[in-house]
Amino acid sequence: ICFQEALQPSFKDYAKQIIANAQALAETLTAGGLTLSSGGTDNHLLLCDVTTLNGVTGKIAETALDRAGLTVNKNMIPYDPRKPMDPSGIRLGTAALTTRGMKQSEMNRVGQWILMVLKAPEDMPLAEKVKAEIADFAQDYPVPGI
């Protein structure tokens, strides 16, 4: 089934949109103060150094973003001086959001939420506010098949 889907002309458009979304998200995050390990992206993934935001670590970022309804993974960055269980970075991708129908403008909004939470990772009322905004926003982008 996977190969059959990949052979369809629409899959090429989908793959291009995933990359465009990743690049839009990368622009928003770098404009907000995060550093991308590769300086940008040519695929669906972003590896961000979050320590540029007041000493936030990957572990803190993962936990804070999860509280706000945003799923990322803590991740080591190249030459990371920190330990694997509390690294300097986070890894995120755009395939799932693209599958739900989001485009570049939505990636900007997602990026803004990420930055808001990371700039105040211990602010529980902010996390709840962002989580509620995301829940409302996500209603316009249902998960296919559910």
Side-chain angles (χ1 to χ4, degrees), residues 1 5 7 11 13 34 36 38 41 48 65 68 70 81 85 87 91 93-94 108 113-114 119 125 131 135 144:
I1 292 172
E5 286 181 8
L7 289 170
F11 186 80
D13 295 333
L34 292 180
L36 285 120
S38 60
T41 186
C48 305
L65 290 168
L70 294 156
M85 294 309 291
R91 178 179 56 90
T94 57
N108 180 43
W113 281 319
I114 290 170
K119 289 178 179 179
K131 187 173 188 174

Side-chain angles (χ1 to χ4, degrees), residues 8-26:
Q8 303 307 311
S10 61
F11 186 80
K12 191 176 200 177
D13 295 333
Y14 169 69
K16 286 180 182 178
Q17 188 62 56
I18 289 171
I19 294 168
N21 284 351
Q23 291 171 340
L25 183 57

Side-chain angles (χ1 to χ4, degrees), residues 79-144:
Y79 311 106
D80 200 333
R82 301 186 59 81
K83 295 183 179 182
M85 294 309 291
D86 191 14
S88 297
I90 57 171
R91 178 179 56 90
L92 48 144
T94 57
L97 299 180
T98 305
T99 298
R100 293 177 75 161
M102 296 182 200
K103 304 267 197 270
Q104 292 96 317
S105 62
E106 290 81 13
M107 293 303 106
N108 180 43
R109 190 160 182 197
V110 170
Q112 293 301 322
W113 281 319
I114 290 170
L115 292 166
M116 284 173 43
V117 171
L118 292 182
K119 289 178 179 179
E122 301 301 322
D123 187 337
M124 300 302 170
L126 174 65
E128 287 300 319
K129 176 182 177 271
V130 170
K131 187 173 188 174
E133 288 177 10
I134 290 170
D136 184 53
F137 172 79
Q139 289 182 15
D140 293 336
Y141 302 94
V143 176

